[in-house]
């Protein structure tokens, strides 16, 4: 009799959610450690070309990005534009951009800065060659043709 | 009321919303961060040389000229080529298996030659007076010492002439996609040669060698000496239709 009463009174005990915050915190820390803050908003549309011989860029802190591709905003036309930091830039702005980025790094690290060219695969070489010439003029020689790992 | 509190102790804070707070933070990080690490083909641009210093005349056979025209077609060493054959072409250029006169002449490097050159350059260095030539002789000594080390590791090998290179030129309307594919094929050719050599001499897989490991470092250096990566970002030249 007493057994019967017991059952009907309690039912199955609810699953404790006390450890839920801990699980979520664990996920949170995982993401905090493995990811990097997004620095720029892309103003150009970029589909990277594919390549098989890609090397990973080791130190993200020593990479500066140059984005080239057709603008996402259709009103600006379809001609590829170059984006430095957060805005569109002209070729002449590369040199000051290189200088600014060099100055914010330690002097010993400056030769190790890589400029990664993130270029849309349908872009003509003209603008890429021009950008490369500008980089050579500012003595920024280490570059990376960003590509996605294919096949 | 006072009595009641004393009996129950300090009231516990409700931790039920803790999960929600953590969720909020988690979502914030998911949105503001990126996970993808950038990868691509690393290249070193040649520094700008003042016009009057551009004197080095390169032997025709030492340059492998790859042209890509505006219609993304390849012209390699004067003849049209499919991109699928480019890898083979690059490998042939690097190795010159039949000792063809159109391809760079590979010279034998032996321990005796290295030692002789090291002694020679050390002598020059001792007898030279100004800093600049001292430095250039020291550089020469260092290169030959690297070669000696390579000989010690993999035995006598033949090296590419110092000015041999693959020169890549594009038209202004060449697509970037094609350019990267060509770069990729050239790179792949060299990578294959390196992998073969590494497998044959050390029975190791080249890409698995670790450049932070002190045992592997000299191996990587030696393999790179035998098959250096010399893909030149040529000066932009207008390619015009004839």
């Amino acid at each position: 009799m007493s057994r019967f009463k017991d059952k009907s009174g309690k039912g199955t005990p609810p699953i404790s959610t006390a450890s839920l915050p801990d699980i979520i915190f664990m996920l949170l820390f995982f993401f905090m450690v493995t990811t990097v803050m997004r620095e720029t908003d892309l103003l150009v549309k970029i589909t990277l070309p594919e390549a098989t011989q890609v090397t990973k860029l080791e130190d993200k802190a020593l990479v500066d990005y140059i984005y080239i591709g057709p603008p996402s905003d259709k009103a600006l036309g379809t001609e590829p534009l170059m984006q430095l930091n957060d805005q569109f830039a002209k070729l002449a702005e590369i040199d000051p951009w290189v200088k600014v980025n060099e100055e914010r790094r330690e002097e010993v690290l400056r030769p190790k800065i890589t400029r990664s060219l993130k270029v849309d695969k349908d872009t003509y070489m003209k603008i890429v060659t021009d950008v490369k010439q500008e980089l050579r003029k500012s003595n920024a020689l280490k570059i990376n043709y960003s590509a996605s790992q294919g096949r | 009321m006072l009595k009641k509190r004393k009996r129950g102790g300090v009231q516990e804070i409700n931790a039920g919303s803790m999960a929600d707070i953590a969720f909020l933070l988690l979502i914030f990080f998911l949105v503001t961060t990126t996970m993808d690490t950038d990868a691509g083909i690393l290249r070193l641009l040649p520094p700008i040389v003042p016009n009057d210093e551009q004197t080095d005349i390169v032997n025709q056979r030492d340059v492998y000229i790859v042209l890509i025209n505006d219609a993304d077609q390849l012209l390699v060493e004067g003849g049209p080529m499919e991109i699928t054959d480019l890898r083979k072409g690059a490998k042939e250029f690097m190795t010159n298996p039949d000792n063809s006169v159109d391809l760079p002449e590979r010279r034998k490097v032996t321990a005796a030659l290295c030692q002789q050159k090291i002694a020679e350059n050390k002598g020059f260095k001792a007898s030279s007076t100004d800093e600049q030539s001292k430095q250039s002789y020291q550089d020469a000594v260092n290169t030959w010492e690297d070669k000696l080390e390579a000989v010690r590791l993999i035995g006598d090998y033949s090296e590419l002439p110092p000015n041999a290179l693959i020169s890549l030129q594009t038209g202004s309307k060449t697509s970037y996609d094609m350019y990267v594919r060509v770069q990729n094929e050239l790179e792949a050719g060299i990578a294959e040669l390196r992998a073969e050599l590494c497998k044959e001499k050390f029975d190791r897989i080249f890409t698995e060698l670790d450049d932070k490991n002190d045992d592997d470092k000299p191996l990587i250096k030696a393999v790179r000496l035998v098959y250096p990566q010399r893909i030149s970002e040529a000066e932009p030249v207008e390619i015009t239709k004839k």
Side-chain angles (χ1 to χ4, degrees):
Chain A
M1 182 65 189
S2 64
R3 212 188 292 153
F4 190 69
K5 213 180 180 179
D6 233 30
K7 242 184 186 172
S8 70
K10 272 188 185 163
T12 44
I15 298 163
S16 163
T17 53
S19 55
L20 194 59
D22 303 315
I23 298 165
I24 305 300
F25 265 118
M26 230 152 70
L27 267 172
L28 176 66
F29 289 137
F30 170 74
F31 274 98
M32 282 172 73
V33 170
T34 53
T35 59
V36 196
M37 277 280 177
R38 206 188 286 266
E39 273 182 9
T40 47
D41 279 328
L42 273 187
L43 301 173
V44 289
K45 254 189 289 184
I46 290 173
T47 320
L48 290 176
E50 277 186 5
T52 49
Q53 307 293 315
V54 293
T55 13
K56 274 204 176 125
L57 289 181
E58 299 273 310
D59 197 346
K60 267 204 147 180
L62 285 174
V63 183
D64 295 331
Y65 296 97
I66 298 175
Y67 305 93
I68 301 170
S72 331
D73 185 359
K74 289 260 163 55
L76 293 167
T78 50
E79 278 300 298
L81 290 172
M82 180 176 59
Q83 179 189 349
L84 298 174
N85 301 332
D86 256 337
Q87 55 200 358
F88 293 121
K90 295 204 175 60
L91 282 177
E93 290 169 56
I94 291 182
D95 188 52
W97 174 79
V98 167
K99 297 269 146 54
V100 166
N101 278 320
E102 272 178 354
E103 253 142 51
R104 70 188 171 93
R105 264 75 172 234
E106 299 260 343
E107 199 154 1
V108 279
L109 296 175
R110 282 181 199 166
K112 290 188 184 161
I113 305 174
T114 311
R115 277 82 188 179
S116 182
L117 298 176
K118 288 197 171 230
V119 185
D120 186 74
K121 64 185 187 134
D122 294 323
T123 314
Y124 289 146
M125 275 309 285
K126 172 96 177 70
I127 185 165
V128 183
T129 318
D130 289 345
V131 168
K132 266 161 58 188
Q133 276 307 97
E134 286 300 315
L135 285 173
R136 283 178 68 194
K137 279 182 205 155
S138 357
N139 212 26
L141 301 176
K142 215 175 155 197
I143 60 163
N144 171 55
Y145 299 110
S146 192
S148 52
Q149 176 84 52
R151 278 140 291 166
Chain B
M1 184 137 161
L2 212 75
K3 245 182 204 167
K4 203 179 169 189
R5 208 180 252 179
K6 249 183 192 168
R7 223 188 293 144
V10 183
Q11 206 177 1
E12 214 178 296
I13 298 167
N14 184 10
S17 54
M18 187 82 115
D20 303 319
I21 298 168
F23 256 126
L24 224 67
L25 275 169
L26 176 66
I27 289 163
F28 171 74
F29 270 94
L30 277 174
V31 171
T32 55
T33 57
T34 48
M35 204 133 111
D36 64 316
T37 43
D38 196 20
I41 300 172
L42 276 171
R43 282 285 176 273
L44 214 56
L45 295 173
I48 291 228
V49 190
N51 270 332
D52 52 320
E53 277 179 39
Q54 282 179 335
T55 47
D56 50 335
I57 298 152
V58 184
N59 202 335
Q60 263 313 313
R61 63 188 289 195
D62 288 346
V63 200
Y64 192 68
I65 301 172
V66 180
L67 299 174
I68 320 171
N69 73 359
D70 287 351
D72 286 358
Q73 290 157 328
L74 286 178
L75 189 78
V76 180
E77 293 281 78
M81 191 187 255
E82 288 298 313
I83 188 159
T84 39
D85 299 327
L86 189 62
R87 191 181 299 203
K88 206 170 124 253
K91 281 169 87 170
E92 251 167 40
F93 173 78
M94 297 292 287
T95 48
N96 193 1
D98 318 318
N99 279 321
S100 152
V101 285
D102 298 327
L103 297 172
E105 184 186 11
R106 291 188 74 96
R107 284 174 303 190
K108 268 251 172 280
V109 177
T110 58
L113 179 73
C114 290
Q115 269 147 4
Q116 182 207 331
K117 287 280 183 187
I118 290 171
E120 219 171 70
N121 280 300
K122 274 187 177 154
F124 288 144
K125 191 193 163 196
S127 61
S128 66
T129 46
D130 66 308
E131 274 307 307
Q132 208 180 346
S133 51
K134 258 196 171 79
Q135 186 58 46
S136 65
Y137 287 128
Q138 183 56 45
D139 290 347
V141 171
N142 291 344
T143 8
W144 282 105
E145 267 168 0
D146 286 345
K147 284 178 191 171
L148 187 63
E149 175 70 11
V151 169
R152 194 182 63 77
L153 284 167
I154 55 182
D156 293 355
Y157 67 97
S158 58
E159 66 165 1
L160 220 55
N163 51 6
L165 56 86
I166 298 172
S167 157
L168 182 56
Q169 291 172 17
T170 58
S172 59
K173 287 212 165 154
T174 306
S175 78
Y176 181 70
D177 191 30
M178 186 63 181
Y179 180 70
V180 168
R181 270 163 67 201
V182 168
Q183 287 268 15
N184 188 52
E185 285 303 304
L186 296 174
E187 181 92 31
I190 297 171
E192 271 175 24
L193 288 175
R194 285 178 176 175
E196 280 162 22
L197 182 77
C198 193
K199 186 88 196 131
E200 183 194 330
K201 300 288 180 185
F202 310 132
D203 199 23
R204 298 274 300 271
I205 294 161
F206 185 65
T207 46
E208 281 174 11
L209 293 178
D210 181 9
D211 61 356
K212 287 180 190 78
N213 184 334
D214 284 336
D215 294 333
D216 291 355
K217 237 181 185 166
L219 304 189
I220 296 178
K221 215 171 167 186
V223 172
R224 285 195 178 147
L225 253 181
V226 181
Y227 295 120
Q229 194 236 59
R230 292 232 201 89
I231 301 168
S232 145
E233 306 280 342
E235 295 272 345
V237 203
E238 279 297 309
I239 304 172
T240 44
K241 269 192 197 137
K242 274 174 199 164

